[in-house]
Every structure is written in structure tokens, then in C-alpha cells.
Amino acid sequence: MRRFLPRQLAALCAVAMLAAVPAARAADAWPDKPITLVSPYAPGGTTDVLARLLSNKLHDKLGQTVIVENRPGAGGNIGTSYVAHAKPDGYTFLLAASGPIVIAGTLYTKLPYHPDKDFTAVSPLARTSFVVAVNAKSGLNSIQDVLKKAREGNLAFGSAGSGTPQHIIGEMFSTAAHVKMQHIPYKGSGPLLNDLVGGQVPLAFENPLPIMQQVKAGNLKVLAVTGAQRSAALPDVPTLAESGLAGIDAQPWYGVLAPAGLPDAITKKMNAEIQAVLASPDVKAQLASLGVEPMAMTPQQFQAYIAKEIVTWGAAVKASGATVD
């Protein structure tokens, strides 16, 4: 029997090599048709802005159309779930926000996907400190004004949806300040921004990216940033700690994920192309002007980062006492 063992091993190796050939050829040919990039929020928000910026640049690099498809609802969970159950063939990707990936697992008792198992980490995009934004006519001119009105028991804040970073940071603010504010969830930052500018809701904890134009137009005011350091895009705006409210350091992130099982060759190629986009001077300048910091990681580093963030934000959700509205 022993003399046949080398032949058996050789046969098994040959079979394995033959099985790998179709996968390798598929990766070499990718992409040979349009790619869908799912944004799990309504148009006008940060994920939508980043998705459309990325789709235009990837079109030039990959030679295929990258279609942005908005699938909003349930705080980003609907679009995220859609990608989790898509075919891992390199033609469906998710413009992932940290909410559905690192917050939802703690906040929701049941999810139609597993944040830690159902995705291939492809590439991070950007992270940013959020801002405390108010309607310019709200009468809220400082964090102390916000705290005073909240202590009177008649202050509400809007968010991009239950379980989003906007929601959790608002709850973190309430916990740190020992106040209670009414939470009003929307189906994305776009609809929230409309009501914030219109005065239907006075306050939001938002990404600076979608609100900068309204700030420049004088319709909104930024009172503080939620990170430990001031924002390069808003150098004159103090941090919450500088405003008298310590204990909050929140920097949500955005990235590109694919369904679990995406071939390594496609994962690496997509990561390389995305990282090249983020490193280009024009994109770096554009992101900096919007208060967003690009992130450079390999797929493996991004996967490890997500695992760590699930633990960090999960603890923040529990500490805040946030619930799904």
C-alpha cells in the first residue's frame, strides 16, 4: 500500500489544482459586467455621498459601471442584510456604516444577518468625529444651552435611524450629561437634514459631511465635535470636553464589505483599487474639506479592526441604555 501513497497524493493535488483553476480564471476576468454598490440609507447622507464618490472613481479604474443602489430602512439593517445574503461573486458590495455592523448586534435582539460572520472585509474608507448640530434659529448657541433645555425636559434630537451612530452618540450625550432627550429616528441623514434645516427637529449628532453646505449657508450651527480632538475641517469648533462635557470620544467609520466567501483575489484587487482612490490628492482634499479622514488598511487589518469595534461600540450601547424606538 505504501508504494501507492505518492501516486494517491499526486492525484489529490492534481484534483485540487484543477478545482482552483475556474476560481482563478473568474478572478482574472473580474469584473466583466456592472457592479452594484449598496448604500443602506436614503440619498443625501454620508454613505450615499461616499458611495457616489467611490463609484465614479472605481468606474475609471475597473472599466465597469458601478451602480449605487439605495436600500434604506431599519437603521441601515435592510440594505446591510441584502448584501449579506447576496452571491459572493464580486458584483455586489456594501457601502458599510459602522451602525449596522458594530452597533446593531448589541442593540437588536434579532438581526437577519450576523455582523461578524456574514461579510468579507474589503476595505475601510473613512472615519470622522461627529458634530453637535442645531437649527440656526433654535436659540441653542452653546452646549450649555443644550444642557439647560434638556434639563427642562422638552428637547428632542433626530438621528439617521435607530441603532445608527447618530442615535447612540445622542444617547451617550444624554448619559454623560444626566439628561433625557426624546429620540426621533429618520430613514437616513438626508431626511433628517431636511427637518433639521426646516426646524421640525432642533438638534442632531451628525457626520459633518452631509451638513457642511447648510452650515456654510447659515441654516445650521455646529456647537461641538464628538471626538477627542478638534476637526481639521472645523478648527474653531470645540470638542465636547472643551465645552464642559467630558467622557465622550466617538468616531464612527465607513467601509466596503462584500458577502462572506468573496474570492481572495477579488478582495485584494478591490482593496488595492479603493486604497488607490483614497490616496489620490483630489480625493484626499475633498474628504478633508468635508471633515472626513481616509483610512488605509489591508483586508485582514480591516477585519481585525471591525472585530475590535464590535466590542467597543457594544459596550457603549450597553452603557447608554439605548433601545430601538
Side-chain angles (χ1 to χ4, degrees):
M1 291 289 291
R2 289 184 179 178
R3 63 183 177 183
F4 293 109
L5 187 57
R7 293 182 181 178
Q8 292 172 332
L9 288 175
L12 288 172
C13 289
V15 170
M17 290 176 66
L18 287 172
V21 168
R25 287 178 178 170
D28 289 340
W30 180 87
D32 61 4
K33 62 181 181 180
I35 294 169
T36 297
L37 180 59
V38 175
S39 173
Y41 296 100
T46 304
T47 55
D48 186 62
V49 171
L50 289 175
R52 294 181 191 283
L53 170 64
L54 187 61
S55 69
N56 291 332
K57 298 295 184 178
L58 287 178
H59 172 270
D60 297 336
K61 289 186 169 294
L62 297 174
Q64 289 290 341
T65 301
V66 179
I67 302 166
V68 176
E69 183 176 314
N70 295 91
R71 286 181 172 265
N77 294 347
I78 290 176
T80 301
S81 176
Y82 173 80
V83 175
H85 296 95
K87 187 177 180 180
D89 57 3
Y91 294 97
T92 304
F93 291 89
L94 173 71
L95 199 302
S98 52
I101 302 301
V102 301
I103 292 174
T106 302
L107 189 64
Y108 291 84
T109 56
K110 280 188 176 183
L111 280 176
Y113 59 92
H114 297 90
D116 57 340
K117 298 178 182 178
D118 290 347
F119 300 96
T120 298
V122 177
S123 176
L125 290 177
R127 60 189 159 208
T128 182
S129 294
F130 274 29
V131 298
V132 183
V134 297
N135 181 283
K137 299 178 181 179
S138 65
L140 303 172
N141 299 305
S142 68
I143 292 300
Q144 295 306 314
D145 287 344
V146 172
L147 295 176
K148 180 180 178 182
K149 193 167 184 66
R151 287 171 183 143
E152 293 171 355
N154 60 349
L155 184 61
F157 76 96
S159 83
S162 293
T164 61
Q166 291 91 330
H167 172 204
I168 301 306
I169 292 173
E171 299 293 356
M172 291 168 66
F173 181 95
S174 296
T175 299
H178 305 290
V179 298
K180 182 64 177 176
M181 298 186 293
Q182 180 187 0
H183 172 224
I184 303 175
Y186 288 79
K187 291 185 177 180
S189 291
L192 164 62
L193 182 59
N194 288 337
D195 276 9
L196 187 62
V197 170
Q200 285 82 5
V201 62
L203 169 70
F205 300 83
E206 252 300 344
N207 190 312
L209 192 156
I211 71 168
M212 290 298 287
Q213 288 186 341
Q214 295 296 340
V215 172
K216 293 175 182 177
N219 297 319
L220 300 178
K221 290 189 293 186
V222 173
L223 304 184
V225 298
T226 65
Q229 306 295 328
R230 292 194 179 196
S231 167
L234 299 164
D236 296 328
V237 177
T239 65
L240 281 171
E242 291 174 324
S243 303
L245 188 62
I248 299 176
D249 181 7
Q251 277 198 317
W253 54 265
Y254 304 88
V256 174
L257 303 180
L262 184 70
D264 287 344
I266 295 178
T267 302
K268 291 176 181 177
K269 184 174 181 180
M270 189 65 149
N271 175 274
E273 298 296 2
I274 292 173
Q275 290 295 311
V277 168
L278 296 176
S280 63
D282 61 324
V283 172
K284 290 177 75 172
Q286 187 173 353
L287 294 179
S289 70
L290 297 170
V292 179
E293 174 191 352
M295 299 168 70
M297 292 182 190
T298 65
Q300 294 78 10
Q301 290 170 333
F302 187 33
Q303 187 70 63
Y305 176 79
I306 291 173
K308 184 178 178 181
E309 285 283 280
I310 287 174
V311 175
T312 300
W313 280 92
V317 172
K318 292 177 181 178
S320 72
T323 58
V324 180
D325 298 89

